[in-house]
Amino acid sequence: MMLTLVAASAIAMGVYQFDATTKLDYDVAVVFNGFLPLLGGNEGKAEVNMGVKVAGLSKDAENLRASSELTAFDIKFNGAKLPLDIESAKGYFPKTTVSMTPGGKVLKSDAPNIMLPVRLPGLDVKRFPDITYLPIELDGNELKVGGKWEFSRMFGDSPMQYSCTVSEMKGDLATIAVTVKQEYEVFEDESLEVVKNEKDAISRVKTVLNGSGTVVFDAAKGAARTVAMKNSSVSTVTSISDGSKTERKLDSTLNVKLKGVADPAVKPAANTTKPATPPTLMDQAGNLWNNAVKAGQNAWQTGAGYISLARMAFGMFAAQIPGLQPFLKQIMGG
C-alpha cells in the first residue's frame, strides 16, 4: 500500500525517475539553416542524426544519476554526407555521467571543460543531456493543464531562460509548451573565433536566440518521450575599426524521440526551408576549399576541414535545444 502511494505521488508531482534499472534509447535529429562560422563563414544546411543510449545509475545521496553515450551518428552538409562514423563521433562525444535532482537540474557532470573556438547560441559541452533526456527542469508541482513555471540554465557564460506551460494532459502524458531565450556578446578575431580581449578582436558580436516547441513528459515512466523545438538566432556583428554592422541568421529544428513507445499526439518542429538540389561531395569540398583559401586557411588539404565542419555542427546541435549543451564544448575543442 505504501509503495502504491509513493508511486502515485511521484506521478502527480511529475519528477524524473532514474535508477539502476532505467534503460532509455533516443533518436535525435537536428537541422541547421543559415550562417555557419566555418572556414571563414558559410551559408548552408547541416543535418545531424544521432542515437543516444541512457542508463540510470544508483543514487548519489538523494540525487539521481545517469550516463549517456552515442549509439549511432551521421552528418550531412548541403546534402553531402561527410565521412565521419560513430567511432569518430565518440571522440567528440564520450560517455558522460551526470548527477541531478529529481526535477532534472544537473548538479554534476564529468563532461570535460573545454573552451570552444566558436561561440554559438546556447553552446556548452556539459549541456548535452539537457537536450536529450533532461530537456526541461520540473518545478515539483502537480502536472496539470495550465501549470506554469520558469527556470534558467547556464550555457557557457550566459543564462538561457525557459518558460514552461502544461498545455495538455492525456493520462500520464503531459505536453509542455516551452519557450527559450538567450542573449550574449563576444569578441571575434578574423577567423571568427571567440577571443577574450578586444585588442585581439576585429568585431563585437551580439547574439539573441529565441525558440519555442514542446516536450512530452511521461509521468509514469519519469522520462521525456519527445522534444520538438524550433529556434532562431540573430547575431549583429559590429566592426571594431569602423563601427559598420552586418547581420547573421541561423535557424534550427530539433526532434528527439524515445524509442519503444507509441508516438504521442504532438506535431514535431517543422522545417519550413525549401529543399535545395543536393550538391555532390566534390562540389562541397571545392566550395569549402575556396572559402578556406580566402580565409587564409589550408587545413582542408589534411582533412581538417571535415573535422571543423563536424565540430561546428555538433556545437550548433547542442546549442539549439532547450538545455542542450553538455557535449558541445568537447566537440569544438577536440
Side-chain angles (χ1 to χ4, degrees), residues 234-256:
V234 177
S235 297
T236 301
V237 184
T238 303
S239 170
I240 292 176
S241 62
D242 62 15
S244 60
K245 298 180 183 294
T246 57
E247 191 173 80
R248 305 172 185 165
K249 294 183 179 181
L250 178 65
D251 296 328
S252 69
T253 59
L254 167 80
N255 286 283
V256 180

Side-chain angles (χ1 to χ4, degrees), residues 47 58 100 184 214 232 295 312:
E47 302 168 81
S58 58
M100 74 203 85
Y184 62 85
T214 57
S232 296
M312 184 59 55

Side-chain angles (χ1 to χ4, degrees), residues 187-190 195-203 240:
F187 294 115
E188 283 185 352
D189 63 15
E190 63 278 359
V195 293
K196 292 183 178 180
N197 301 315
E198 184 173 358
K199 65 181 181 61
D200 300 320
I202 65 168
S203 59
I240 292 176

Side-chain angles (χ1 to χ4, degrees), residues 319-334:
Q320 294 286 313
I321 306 156
L324 175 195
Q325 276 185 338
F327 273 140
L328 269 194
K329 271 183 183 175
Q330 179 174 359
I331 20 181
M332 309 287 276

Side-chain angles (χ1 to χ4, degrees), residues 23-28 50-53 71-72 221 224-226 256-263:
K23 305 293 180 185
L24 305 171
D25 286 286
Y26 289 93
D27 285 325
V28 181
M50 292 180 171
V52 179
K53 178 173 67 177
T71 58
K221 186 183 290 290
R225 278 204 182 191
T226 65
V256 180
K257 178 185 175 183
L258 178 63
K259 294 182 180 180
V261 295
D263 290 337

